Amino acid sequence: EFIYGTDEYDKSCVHSCVNFSTVGVVKSALCLPNKDYLTAFAEGNKLKLVNTIDGTVRIFEGHREDIIHIHSQSADEIITMSKDGGIHIWQAVENSDSEYNWINYLRDSRNNLTSLAVSGLSLGKIVATTRDGYICVWSRNTCLHSHSTLIDSKGLYSVDICDDQGITAIGGYGRVFLHDSCTDELSHITTLGGHNGPVFAVVARTILGVGYVASGCEDKMVAVHRMDTFTQCAYKKDAHTSAVTSMALAARPDSHLLVTGSRDSSIHIWTFPTLEIRHKIKSHDGVVLSVSVASTFHRFGHRQALISTGLDKTVKVW
């Protein structure tokens, strides 16, 4: 079901949105790169691909349990991670606009995966975190399992890879661990503190030649650290009124924006890396489970679009 409308909470930020209801809770969604009229989202154990122009829906099955994360760096490939401990790689069918085949299946002996990150081809890594504190690493080129390493016995909750800096950022309990993505074993570089509770979201990016790591935590705090000095350069103690559950970075020619979602049902948009608040959006009726950003979205002529999912069983494209 597609509902076109405007958001009443902050009209200066959201001009129009597509809001489609789902049968089950959607834990992850994104617009495909270079095919940004296609929104991919996970409903239960099914991968669904929605064409937001004509409303057609394609359904792909393969996982036994709920999909909890979707990743895509190009329209030719979608990677999904499930509660069943499996990671599926789906490849676009040649000369087809919205057809994908399941081509590879990655698995670790642990089935309590929490988050997923995929590097570029130069680093060639797929990294997943687990609730019991391990990172699981596969080769992106061969899809073979490389190793699993215990990082934090209190659990790991989020991960991101910054290809430019060769650094993998991992959110643990109250800490963010930085590891060297250029080494096979992802050797430890340093640990960043400052949080109190599970770090549910991390984003690692390079801005004007400087690497930054942003982190969001159950303690309602958002923090930004520099990768070159490992020092905290900005933080908001009460960024939301409840736990920060997700974040994404929107790169713009004139500035960069950090998007955060929360259990308080809102989405906040900040300048990055200074963390000055730009917009607040009352987005969902309940917890915001995920946020992601697409570079363009032709349906409304936007240069960028924000995709959010929530416990209210809706996916919204802003």
Side-chain angles (χ1 to χ4, degrees):
E1 177 186 6
F2 289 82
I3 304 171
Y4 298 92
T6 57
D7 183 85
E8 298 298 330
Y9 191 73
D10 189 344
K11 288 185 177 179
S12 66
C13 170
V14 182
H15 303 288
S16 50
C17 73
V18 179
N19 172 20
F20 43 101
S21 303
T22 62
V23 176
V25 173
V26 175
K27 297 183 178 178
S28 184
L30 52 81
C31 288
L32 295 187
N34 304 320
K35 287 185 181 179
D36 41 28
Y37 54 89
L38 294 177
T39 300
F41 66 91
E43 183 177 352
N45 65 346
K46 298 179 178 65
L47 171 65
K48 294 190 175 183
L49 203 59
V50 178
N51 187 316
T52 52
I53 296 178
D54 60 23
T56 57
V57 181
R58 305 285 297 176
I59 300 176
F60 306 97
E61 299 185 61
H63 287 286
R64 297 190 304 273
E65 297 185 38
D66 289 357
I67 297 172
I68 57 177
H69 192 92
I70 301 177
H71 182 91
S72 180
Q73 291 181 337
S74 77
D76 295 329
E77 182 182 77
I78 302 174
I79 301 176
T80 56
M81 184 181 75
S82 168
K83 281 185 177 179
D84 61 19
I87 297 172
H88 289 189
I89 300 177
W90 310 79
Q91 191 172 65
V93 175
E94 190 174 357
N95 299 322
S96 173
D97 186 56
S98 58
E99 190 69 34
Y100 287 78
N101 285 334
W102 169 22
I103 60 167
N104 275 305
Y105 175 65
L106 313 181
R107 184 171 176 81
D108 186 79
S109 58
R110 296 163 184 82
N111 61 359
N112 58 354
L113 302 179
T114 54
S115 63
L116 174 72
V118 181
S119 75
L121 293 176
S122 59
L123 294 177
K125 288 181 173 60
I126 299 174
V127 181
T129 58
T130 71
R131 199 168 300 281
D132 56 357
Y134 282 80
I135 55 168
C136 309
V137 184
W138 293 265
S139 166
R140 186 176 181 186
N141 301 316
T142 64
C143 294
L144 295 177
H145 182 260
S146 173
H147 67 278
S148 297
T149 304
L150 178 64
I151 302 296
D152 186 352
S153 59
K154 292 184 177 180
L156 300 177
Y157 305 92
S158 54
V159 62
D160 195 23
I161 299 173
C162 180
D163 284 10
D164 295 338
Q165 302 291 324
I167 288 179
T168 298
I170 304 164
Y173 192 91
R175 298 179 290 178
V176 176
F177 304 93
L178 300 186
H179 286 248
D180 188 350
S181 305
C182 299
T183 61
D184 292 338
E185 66 277 9
L186 260 70
S187 56
H188 179 253
I189 299 174
T190 191
T191 301
L192 309 175
H195 285 294
N196 183 21
V199 178
F200 290 129
V202 291
V203 170
R205 293 290 186 276
T206 299
I207 307 295
L208 299 177
V210 179
Y212 295 94
V213 178
S215 52
C217 183
E218 187 181 56
D219 61 8
K220 302 180 285 188
M221 178 178 172
V222 173
V224 179
H225 287 79
R226 289 178 62 115
M227 290 188 197
D228 52 356
T229 61
F230 309 123
T231 56
Q232 188 179 91
C233 58
Y235 76 96
K236 292 295 179 183
K237 186 175 182 181
D238 292 308
H240 287 267
T241 59
S242 189
V244 180
T245 57
S246 54
M247 60 173 49
L249 189 67
R252 303 169 62 181
D254 56 340
S255 63
H256 293 75
L257 299 176
L258 182 69
V259 182
T260 57
S262 171
R263 285 180 185 163
D264 64 13
S265 77
S266 72
I267 293 174
H268 290 182
I269 300 177
W270 314 81
T271 58
F272 187 81
T274 56
L275 291 185
E276 298 171 4
I277 191 68
R278 290 286 297 273
H279 302 288
K280 296 180 180 180
I281 309 169
K282 177 69 175 178
S283 55
H284 289 271
D285 184 14
V287 177
V288 178
L289 294 175
S290 72
V291 293
S292 64
V293 175
S295 58
T296 57
F297 186 51
H298 298 306
R299 178 64 179 87
F300 297 116
H302 291 174
R303 288 188 174 183
Q304 291 183 313
L306 166 64
I307 305 92
S308 63
T309 69
L311 272 181
D312 56 2
K313 300 181 181 179
T314 63
V315 179
K316 297 189 177 186
V317 184
W318 311 87

